[in-house]
Amino acid sequence: MPSEISFSIGDLAKATGTKVETIRWYERVGVLAAPERTSGNYRAYGAEHLERLSFVRRARDLGFSLDQVRDLLQLADDRNQPCDAVDRVAREHLEKVERKIADLEALRHELRDLIGQCRHGTVAECRIVQALSPQFGPAGISRRA
Amino acid sequence: MPSEISFSIGDLAKATGTKVETIRWYERVGVLAAPERTSGNYRAYGAEHLERLSFVRRARDLGFSLDQVRDLLQLADDRNQPCDAVDRVAREHLEKVERKIADLEALRHELRDLIGQCRHGTVAECRIVQALSPQFGPAGISRRA
DNA sequence: CCTTGACCCTGTAGCGGCCACAGGGTCCAT
DNA sequence: ATGGACCCTGTGGCCGCTACAGGGTCAAGG
């Protein structure tokens, strides 16, 4: 007797704050198992899907790629394994985030410089424009008629 | 007499550190003007293209979108206009960068927490896994048989 | 003069991570 | 029976390239 509760894709979407299309997408790319279907060919999800999708969404919010999410899910399923592998994925991701922050901070610095130099004159004397069109790249061009 | 120098797409690519395909792409999407062609249908670039592409690349390095780059180019061409519009584009971009930094810093914080809690036991007791599968989202699910 | 190999051309498909249709089917309340 | 809210599949689009495939062009060397 299949007395388990089940709910539609729309319900699952609402419960997890995910768009319906995204859920179908997750199924296609294999981060969410394909659920049973009703007689009318509707997807019928159970509690395990809700759990799974919550995990996926949370990991995505934390910036993990879908590939990483797949890895994490697989790792998380192996309940008796040591969790070093999970830890490693997280650390790698943290490093990536830190690199990105550093890059963006450098960018911020450059942009602030740029903007700070603007004297609000005409474009012809605009430092921003000048900074964007720098003294050309490596030489070696003008030798080919 | 068209005595101007001209050079190939490969030369332009080398000089600006851009891939050949990217240059053709820029032409397609209208951030780099289509150059003259040689009798053999090769693109023949001049100094103005080098200047233009340098500008584009520099702006891209600074994280401006191609749409913004198009705007900046058009603004930069109007040499006698006041440069407020340029300034505005730059400021908007800076704000975006700052928002992104803030987001990533919040992320970093969460990730550090996550990782800091790992006791290197089994997956079953791993805090990372637990943190990723949180107490379900908004209620209102299990009421539909 | 002919071949070789480096370059160039166009066009198309793919990446990630979805989102937004179009064109249909299903289900439930009225 | 009908309307409207939902569901289905499939396709195309977004950004900013990148990577082919399948050809053409050109200069140097034999």
Side-chain angles (χ1 to χ4, degrees), chain B residues 82-141:
Chain B
C83 68
D84 294 5
V86 175
D87 191 57
R88 193 165 49 237
V89 172
R91 276 174 201 282
E92 272 165 24
H93 181 47
L94 176 58
E95 273 168 39
K96 241 190 233 163
V97 169
E98 283 172 341
R99 272 197 299 276
K100 205 159 199 173
I101 290 173
D103 287 353
L104 284 175
E105 278 170 347
L107 212 61
R108 178 175 57 185
H109 186 74
E110 285 207 77
L111 282 170
R112 281 181 177 163
D113 270 11
L114 217 64
I115 291 167
Q117 289 182 335
C118 183
R119 293 288 160 267
H120 305 283
T122 64
V123 166
E125 61 205 20
C126 180
R127 302 286 189 151
I128 296 179
V129 173
Q130 283 169 29
L132 280 171
S133 22
Q135 57 299 344
F136 295 8
I141 279 303

Side-chain angles (χ1 to χ4, degrees), chain A residues 104 107-108 110-112 114-115 128-129 131-133, chain B residues 26 31 54-73 75 85-97 100:
Chain A
L104 284 175
L107 213 60
R108 178 174 61 184
E110 284 205 76
L111 282 170
R112 280 181 176 162
L114 218 63
I115 291 167
I128 296 178
V129 173
L132 281 171
S133 20
Chain B
Y26 285 163
V31 291
S54 302
F55 187 106
V56 172
R57 290 260 97 191
R58 176 101 178 100
R60 292 288 300 133
D61 283 348
L62 288 170
F64 289 94
S65 72
L66 282 184
D67 275 357
Q68 287 176 314
V69 172
R70 249 187 303 262
D71 290 353
L72 285 173
L73 282 169
L75 292 168
V86 175
D87 191 57
R88 193 165 49 237
V89 172
R91 276 174 201 282
E92 272 165 24
H93 181 47
L94 176 58
E95 273 168 39
K96 241 190 233 163
V97 169
K100 205 159 199 173

Side-chain angles (χ1 to χ4, degrees), chain A:
Chain A
M1 61 288 279
S3 61
E4 305 210 353
I5 57 145
S6 91
F7 40 90
S8 72
I9 196 169
D11 290 344
L12 186 58
K14 259 174 224 148
T16 57
T18 311
K19 302 222 164 195
V20 166
E21 288 95 340
T22 303
I23 296 178
R24 288 197 281 247
W25 168 254
Y26 286 162
E27 182 181 322
R28 267 183 73 79
V29 299
V31 291
L32 192 61
E36 307 270 299
R37 298 292 183 118
T38 67
S39 55
N41 201 30
Y42 284 19
R43 287 170 180 80
Y45 294 97
E48 73 280 16
H49 293 101
L50 176 54
E51 206 169 337
R52 209 72 164 171
L53 182 53
S54 301
F55 187 106
V56 172
R57 290 259 98 191
R58 176 102 180 100
R60 293 287 302 133
D61 283 349
L62 288 171
F64 289 94
S65 72
L66 282 184
D67 274 357
Q68 287 175 316
V69 172
R70 248 185 305 260
D71 290 351
L72 286 173
L73 281 169
Q74 213 183 348
L75 294 167
D77 278 346
D78 224 340
R79 309 288 293 166
N80 295 319
Q81 287 306 105
C83 70
D84 295 3
V86 175
D87 191 58
R88 195 167 45 240
V89 173
R91 277 174 200 281
E92 272 166 24
H93 182 47
L94 176 58
E95 273 168 39
K96 244 190 228 163
V97 168
E98 283 174 339
R99 272 197 300 277
K100 207 159 197 170
I101 289 173
D103 287 353
L104 284 175
E105 278 171 347
L107 213 60
R108 178 174 61 184
H109 187 74
E110 284 205 76
L111 282 170
R112 280 181 176 162
D113 269 11
L114 218 63
I115 291 167
Q117 290 182 334
C118 183
R119 294 287 161 269
H120 305 284
T122 65
V123 166
E125 62 205 20
C126 180
R127 301 289 189 150
I128 296 178
V129 173
Q130 284 168 29
L132 281 171
S133 20
Q135 57 297 344
F136 294 9
I141 280 301
S142 39
R143 348 209 157 105
R144 197 159 164 269

Side-chain angles (χ1 to χ4, degrees), chain A residues 144, chain B residues 6-10 24 27 34-45:
Chain A
R144 197 159 164 269
Chain B
S6 91
F7 41 90
S8 72
I9 196 169
R24 288 196 281 248
E27 183 181 322
E36 308 268 299
R37 298 291 183 118
T38 66
S39 55
N41 200 30
Y42 283 20
R43 286 169 179 82
Y45 294 98

